[in-house]
Amino acid sequence: MRVSPAEYEVEFFKEMGFSRLKGNVCPEHYWTLNPELTEPQDVPCVEYWFDKIPSREPLSVAEARRRFIEFFKKRGHEEIPPRPVVARWREDLYLTIASIVVFQPHVTSGIVPPPANPLVISQPSIRLEDIDNVGITLGRHLTIFEMAAHHAFNYPDKQVYWKDETVRFAFEFFTKELGIPGDLIVFKESWWEGGGNAGPCFEVAVGGLELATLVFMMYKSLNGSYERIPILIVDTGYGVERISWFSQKSPTAFHAIYGDLVEKARDLVGIERPEESLLLAARRAAGRLDPESPESLESYFARVAKETGMELEYVRRALTTEARLFSVLDHTKSLAFMLADGIVPSNSGEGYLARLVARRTLRQLRLLGSSAALKELVAMQIELWGRDFPRLRENSSYVLEAVELEEARFKELLERSRRVLERELSRTKSIGLEDLVRYYDSYGVHPELVAEIARGAEVRVPHNFYSIVAARHRAPRTLGKQEEVDEKLRSWASQFPATRKLYYEDPYLHSFKARLLGAMGNYVVLDATAFYPTGGGQISDTGVIRLGEREYRVKGAMLIGDVVVHELSEPLPVTEGIVRGEIDWERRYKIMRHHTATHVILGAARRVLGAHVWQAGAEKTEEKGRLDITHHKPLSKEEVKRIEEHVNAVVNQRRKVTARFMDKGEAEQAYGFSLYQGGVPMSRTIRVVEVEGWDVEACGGTHVSNTGEIGGVKIVNVERIQDGVVRLEYVAGTRVADFAGAAEERLEEVGQLVGASKGQEVERLKSLLSSLEELRSVADGYRRIWTEAVRRELEGAEEIGGARLVVVESPELSRERIQEALKLLTAERGNALVAVVLRSKEGTALEVAAGEKAASVFNIGEVVRAASQALGGRGGGSRSYGSARLPASVSAEEVRRALLGALKR
């Protein structure tokens, strides 16, 4: 978008005498008090030289954060606690990538007011799009960072502050709080877009280091077009880690961020410490480095070697090793925060991103030749950051268990997948990006290992492979799970006022009277209804609508906007009038029980398994309930039992179940983001359902009024439906009795089958199993005798073209057992050619196997095909094995003659 220069002219610049200049190396406009600064002062326009700029005392990350927050608190800003790094309040993003994400889209779109105005926050954020560059640039790129920010939301009827005050705050903070000379601070003109919003901005840089971005959000962006928004938003972002780096003047940002942890990690990983002069020279050169350009990278190494007088190969090796160590530090911090905020590593959603970070960290450790456990490195991060972010320590047991399990799974996966890939890649001549992504997703194999296995194939490995993969999984592919509605129906429904929702006013209401507002085909709209429309995993009510003496079946209901549309079994003859509705109450009550049970089970699962448990899906019907939860391993029998015991204890306690509409911000402040187990409502008020002292969620479903009405819960099935997701299926209320009755019938059937009287089924089964084991032992003995007999026959069999043919009949009915015996016999004797005739109710079958030598002479599949055709059957197979179906009357001698004939052809 073309931006007028007037957008960047602020009164403060005029007052202070700033000049608007244009760079030479980087032809961009910037504002400065010092005409001698001929560039915008950000890399790669200039090199890093901030180490020569005076400033106040060195600040740790925690001190820099506190200094920033206190500065703005003194200037009328209210401090807001940071949100999780998992954007649970967003359905279009997995991770919190900036402080403004906290307020998008609900606040920025005007749906809800901000929690304070103006406000200040320091928000941990994770961006993975540059993950491959972490470490190489010595701190310019990080996957996890804190974005300290002050925000102001200017409404048409309430102005807080805008550009001029924002620039003044920045200048005052950097000069007074950090002690930076004002004539070395540069404000570069730029443009920002993100999360559907856009606006002009200033990038504030000093000595090559960008310290802040000041965004003035003025537009809504959609498909390249821009629309002015009524709320003008000050959206700033100050890099806490960069401020700390600037103040400490340390060789790299990682030394400023992690302090002593750098050397602790170095010792654990087992690598040598380079000379400080190498890192100082590297810092100066890193400003010009384009990490995605091999030429730029080689130029960087060469310059450092020249400046330090060190061998080029040593410089390349030492700086590459340091970059890998720094990336391990960065990635393990990201992983600690992601898991502590409830992510479960998996192959989809946010879990995919956590797994990507873990696997790249393990790859870096492998390249370093280190056997250091990922768990130990993550534990160090928890210890370092746990004081400032208590949830790290609170959830440390889950975090460390999940990390340990992830490392073990990855190693097992590599061992299995290497063998599979060796076979697949042996037939491949060229491997591109899409192939590499597929191998990574399917087998967990990083591209360098693919190149190593492929050897002869041409493999194009992009430097930024992990960044590409992360970008593809940055956000959900679809927003929400809305039912598809015919556009004609949607347009028709939009003309009606909002439906009065009687199912919220009184979920126990069986019947009601309402005014018919309109009808189109089989669809009708009423002014009020007790029919619950499908939504939130709860199926729609059914029932009848009566018009006069006629009764019309209601097949279901749906919510279109704020209008409930009922689908009937046949059209109404009129479009207006008074109708009476009646829901299928028994069905509805079963659904209410199952829905309330879902909330209780989720609360129990989080208590038994941990706070990382999150709802991944749910369904409530009259037959049963289903809850999918995130968890890093299958549930044990004991865990399922404990969950069920917790649930039924809550049922017996008859806890109150209440539903009320609350302001969205107040609800979040009171209950946190675990509210959004079933999705994020796009409304200023949300309906909050609370099971007293047990579970609180934003929910639009119907519920019983106390847990006693659930009437008992039985978990009837538990299965791991995908990596990181476990499914629980359960019944409640009278459905428990139905389930028990069905189980009794099955048990009675089992008793009849095994000949046991009631109550003796288990003992009878134990007896039968013992007898079965004895029979198996006897059968194994006979199999050994049979196999030995075949061996003896092979010894005396006549040779035909170097192979010895034996044809035998077997009483064995198991094809699998016969194949095992044939495998053993042909492995022992390479010239063996063994044919087995099996007879059963289905007819006569033939299995033929050849040893290695025999198969080199004869194609057994072709031999079996010819012999079976001669006998009136059908068969075939591979070079070393064949099988056929033959007429029931065929004898073993006939089979032998047919095979001999086929062998002599």
Side-chain angles (χ1 to χ4, degrees):
M1 180 176 180
R2 294 179 61 87
V3 185
S4 167
E7 293 286 3
Y8 301 100
E9 295 173 359
V10 297
E11 186 62 32
F12 176 73
F13 290 157
K14 295 179 183 177
E15 288 179 15
M16 296 294 291
F18 275 74
S19 300
R20 185 175 187 255
L21 305 179
K22 189 174 183 179
N24 297 315
V25 176
C26 296
E28 298 167 309
H29 288 96
Y30 58 98
W31 295 81
T32 178
L33 290 170
N34 187 350
E36 294 181 7
L37 297 178
T38 57
E39 295 297 336
Q41 295 306 296
D42 188 15
V43 296
C45 307
V46 297
E47 297 177 353
Y48 288 137
W49 62 281
F50 63 86
D51 57 308
K52 298 180 176 62
I53 297 174
S55 59
R56 289 178 59 182
E57 74 278 8
L59 301 173
S60 66
V61 169
E63 289 166 341
R65 178 197 311 123
R66 203 68 244 159
R67 181 74 59 88
F68 178 86
I69 289 173
E70 291 304 321
F71 174 85
F72 282 96
K73 283 175 70 176
K74 291 174 183 175
R75 286 154 183 81
H77 294 67
E78 183 178 331
E79 180 182 359
I80 299 301
R83 289 195 180 186
V85 296
V86 191
R88 300 291 190 192
W89 59 96
R90 297 279 296 261
E91 292 196 337
D92 59 341
L93 277 179
Y94 290 128
L95 301 176
T96 307
I97 59 173
S99 64
I100 193 62
V101 167
V102 171
F103 311 105
Q104 290 175 318
H106 303 88
V107 176
T108 56
S109 61
I111 294 174
V112 301
N117 196 12
L119 60 85
V120 61
I121 186 174
S122 187
Q123 176 62 48
S125 306
I126 293 181
R127 295 180 190 171
L128 302 180
E129 285 82 350
D130 292 317
I131 190 171
D132 295 286
N133 297 333
V134 172
I136 300 172
T137 56
L138 306 185
R140 194 196 323 165
H141 297 93
L142 303 171
T143 63
I144 184 166
F145 56 92
E146 280 189 63
M147 183 175 284
H150 63 98
H151 296 276
F153 302 86
N154 297 284
Y155 295 86
D157 59 346
K158 182 188 177 184
Q159 294 293 307
V160 182
Y161 60 79
W162 192 226
K163 297 178 184 177
D164 187 68
E165 295 89 337
T166 303
V167 173
R168 288 177 191 271
F169 283 143
F171 190 82
E172 185 181 0
F173 175 75
F174 288 128
T175 55
K176 293 185 177 179
E177 295 296 325
L178 298 189
I180 301 174
D183 62 346
L184 298 182
I185 300 173
V186 163
F187 294 83
K188 185 180 78 173
E189 297 177 4
S190 190
W191 178 261
W192 177 91
E193 288 193 36
N197 297 113
C201 71
F202 289 114
E203 294 173 359
V204 187
V206 183
L209 195 61
E210 183 186 331
L211 297 177
T213 302
L214 315 177
V215 178
F216 306 103
M217 198 182 290
M218 304 166 60
Y219 301 96
K220 178 181 179 180
S221 61
L222 183 64
N223 299 327
S225 62
Y226 300 91
E227 178 184 329
R228 189 89 174 202
I229 56 177
I231 307 173
L232 302 180
I233 301 167
V234 173
D235 169 26
T236 66
Y238 289 65
V240 174
E241 290 84 0
R242 291 191 178 192
I243 292 171
S244 177
W245 188 17
F246 180 92
S247 72
Q248 293 187 38
K249 311 291 191 288
S250 55
T252 74
F254 299 97
H255 290 82
I257 298 166
Y258 297 101
D260 294 342
L261 189 57
V262 174
E263 298 310 315
K264 289 180 182 177
R266 185 189 304 281
D267 292 341
L268 180 61
V269 172
I271 58 175
E272 294 182 1
R273 181 178 183 178
E275 295 180 29
E276 189 168 324
S277 59
L278 175 70
L279 292 178
L280 292 174
R283 183 183 63 192
R284 286 188 289 275
R288 299 284 195 189
L289 171 62
D290 176 3
E292 297 185 14
S293 163
E295 295 80 12
S296 177
L297 200 57
E298 280 305 306
S299 176
Y300 162 68
F301 292 143
R303 179 179 166 184
V304 175
K306 182 178 180 181
E307 186 173 328
T308 59
M310 299 175 184
E311 291 289 333
L312 175 60
E313 185 53 38
Y314 167 77
V315 168
R316 183 186 292 111
R317 186 174 63 253
L319 290 180
T320 301
T321 297
E322 288 299 286
R324 286 173 179 153
L325 173 65
F326 297 152
S327 70
V328 167
L329 280 166
D330 169 89
H331 296 2
T332 49
K333 180 183 178 184
S334 278
L335 197 56
F337 273 73
M338 293 169 91
L339 300 186
D341 281 340
I343 294 182
V344 174
S346 68
N347 291 328
S348 61
E350 62 268 24
Y352 182 98
L353 299 176
R355 175 160 287 169
L356 181 145
V357 174
R359 288 182 175 177
R360 188 172 192 275
T361 310
L362 292 167
R363 168 64 177 158
Q364 296 298 90
L365 288 171
R366 185 173 183 267
L367 291 170
L368 288 168
S370 175
S371 59
L374 188 58
K375 177 181 177 180
E376 291 186 56
L377 290 159
V378 172
M380 288 180 172
Q381 298 287 1
I382 293 172
E383 179 62 29
L384 178 62
W385 302 105
R387 183 181 297 110
D388 294 338
F389 301 94
R391 63 183 182 274
L392 289 171
R393 290 180 177 172
E394 292 166 3
N395 300 324
S396 62
S397 59
Y398 158 67
V399 173
L400 297 177
E401 183 183 6
V403 166
E404 187 174 35
L405 186 61
E406 193 64 16
E407 180 169 10
R409 284 175 175 168
F410 182 56
K411 289 177 178 176
E412 291 170 8
L413 180 65
L414 285 184
E415 289 177 8
R416 292 197 310 270
S417 59
R418 185 177 187 115
R419 293 190 294 271
V420 175
L421 275 179
E422 282 174 347
R423 290 196 298 271
E424 183 171 335
L425 295 178
S426 64
R427 304 185 297 272
T428 304
K429 294 182 178 179
S430 179
I431 299 170
L433 174 62
E434 295 307 316
D435 298 310
L436 293 174
V437 173
R438 178 167 59 84
Y439 296 144
Y440 173 80
D441 284 345
S442 301
Y443 307 120
V445 177
H446 45 77
E448 293 85 358
L449 183 57
V450 174
E452 181 185 316
I453 296 172
R455 293 189 192 92
E458 180 188 355
V459 184
R460 296 178 294 277
V461 180
H463 157 76
N464 59 337
F465 173 78
Y466 287 92
S467 301
I468 293 169
V469 174
R472 293 185 179 188
H473 292 264
R474 182 171 180 262
R477 298 190 180 189
T478 56
L479 301 182
K481 297 179 181 178
Q482 298 177 349
E483 296 288 331
E484 287 192 17
V485 176
D486 179 77
E487 194 53 44
K488 182 180 178 182
L489 182 61
R490 185 183 298 279
S491 176
W492 174 73
S494 66
Q495 66 182 300
F496 298 105
T499 307
R500 182 181 168 194
K501 300 174 180 62
L502 302 176
Y503 50 82
Y504 281 162
E505 295 178 17
D506 181 4
Y508 291 86
L509 188 65
H510 296 206
S511 60
F512 64 97
K513 186 167 69 174
R515 181 177 300 279
L516 175 63
L517 299 182
M520 183 181 75
N522 286 20
Y523 297 100
V524 300
V525 172
L526 311 176
D527 68 337
T529 187
F531 284 93
Y532 180 84
T534 297
Q538 179 175 325
I539 61 173
S540 163
D541 284 329
T542 56
V544 296
I545 283 179
R546 294 185 178 88
L547 178 66
E549 298 300 316
R550 285 287 307 276
E551 184 175 281
Y552 299 84
R553 187 72 192 161
V554 178
K555 296 167 60 179
M558 68 186 85
L559 189 65
I560 302 178
D562 210 20
V563 175
V564 177
V565 177
H566 306 74
E567 183 182 5
L568 308 185
S569 56
E570 58 181 304
L572 289 179
V574 297
T575 58
E576 58 182 24
I578 301 298
V579 299
R580 290 186 176 276
E582 185 175 332
I583 66 173
D584 291 330
W585 172 247
E586 186 176 343
R587 177 178 180 274
R588 154 75 85 79
Y589 194 54
K590 288 177 180 178
I591 295 171
M592 288 167 63
R593 281 173 150 173
H594 283 136
H595 199 151
T596 311
T598 302
H599 288 234
V600 178
I601 291 172
L602 181 60
R606 288 172 68 87
R607 283 165 174 80
V608 171
L609 305 175
H612 63 277
V613 167
W614 202 266
Q615 179 176 310
E619 183 180 46
K620 306 94 181 178
T621 70
E622 73 271 26
E623 296 297 325
K624 64 181 179 180
R626 170 179 62 78
L627 175 64
D628 299 338
I629 58 172
T630 57
H631 191 53
H632 53 294
K633 59 184 180 180
L635 300 193
S636 68
K637 186 176 180 180
E638 178 59 30
E639 286 170 333
V640 175
K641 182 181 178 183
R642 286 171 58 202
I643 290 171
E644 197 174 80
E645 286 173 348
H646 274 298
V647 171
N648 284 301
V650 171
V651 170
N652 290 336
Q653 290 158 8
R654 297 185 60 82
R655 297 181 184 230
K656 288 183 180 178
V657 180
T658 56
R660 64 189 187 282
F661 286 91
M662 294 182 67
D663 175 83
K664 188 171 183 292
E666 291 178 4
E668 290 175 353
Q669 191 170 5
Y671 302 114
F673 301 104
S674 59
L675 275 170
Y676 302 128
Q677 297 288 337
V680 186
M682 279 292 289
S683 57
R684 183 163 187 160
T685 59
I686 60 176
R687 186 170 180 264
V688 176
V689 174
E690 179 177 5
V691 179
E692 185 181 19
W694 190 256
D695 180 77
V696 184
E697 297 177 39
C699 180
T702 56
H703 296 270
V704 295
S705 62
N706 76 77
T707 57
E709 288 188 55
I710 296 173
V713 173
K714 178 62 185 172
I715 297 174
V716 298
N717 183 50
V718 179
E719 61 180 316
R720 191 165 176 244
I721 61 169
Q722 67 182 61
D723 198 18
V725 180
V726 175
R727 171 166 292 175
L728 301 170
E729 293 181 318
Y730 42 90
V731 290
T734 55
R735 287 292 298 139
V736 174
D738 294 342
F739 176 81
E744 283 182 354
E745 289 178 5
R746 288 195 297 272
L747 185 59
E748 185 177 343
E749 185 180 353
V750 168
Q752 290 172 353
L753 289 172
V754 300
S757 57
K758 190 172 183 180
Q760 297 300 311
E761 295 88 354
V762 173
E763 292 303 318
R764 179 59 177 157
L765 276 172
K766 286 180 180 178
S767 175
L768 288 173
L769 288 172
S770 177
S771 300
L772 179 61
E773 197 59 40
E774 291 176 9
L775 289 172
R776 280 176 178 161
S777 179
V778 171
D780 286 341
Y782 282 121
R783 288 188 187 102
R784 286 192 293 271
I785 294 170
W786 180 85
T787 304
E788 187 57 39
V790 176
R791 282 195 186 98
R792 287 195 297 271
E793 281 202 48
L794 280 168
E795 289 291 338
E798 180 185 351
E799 282 201 14
I800 304 158
R804 295 191 176 197
L805 173 66
V806 170
V807 179
V808 294
E809 291 209 35
S810 172
E812 177 70 69
L813 297 179
S814 168
R815 187 167 179 257
E816 183 181 342
R817 294 281 191 177
I818 288 295
Q819 289 174 340
E820 287 175 5
L822 289 174
K823 185 177 180 181
L824 175 66
L825 290 163
T826 54
E828 291 175 351
R829 183 182 286 273
N831 66 347
L833 184 54
V834 184
V836 181
V837 179
L838 299 94
R839 302 190 189 280
S840 66
K841 293 177 181 177
E842 287 74 30
T844 300
L846 177 65
E847 301 290 325
V848 184
E852 187 176 353
K853 183 179 177 181
S856 69
V857 178
F858 301 106
N859 185 321
I860 303 308
E862 294 299 325
V863 168
V864 170
R865 181 177 291 108
S868 62
Q869 286 175 351
L871 294 168
R874 294 178 60 186
S878 66
R879 186 165 192 88
S880 61
Y881 196 94
S883 59
R885 303 296 299 183
L886 305 175
S889 59
V890 172
S891 68
E893 178 57 28
E894 288 174 315
V895 171
R896 191 182 70 81
R897 288 198 298 268
L899 286 172
L900 281 172
L903 288 168
K904 290 177 181 179
R905 285 184 181 181

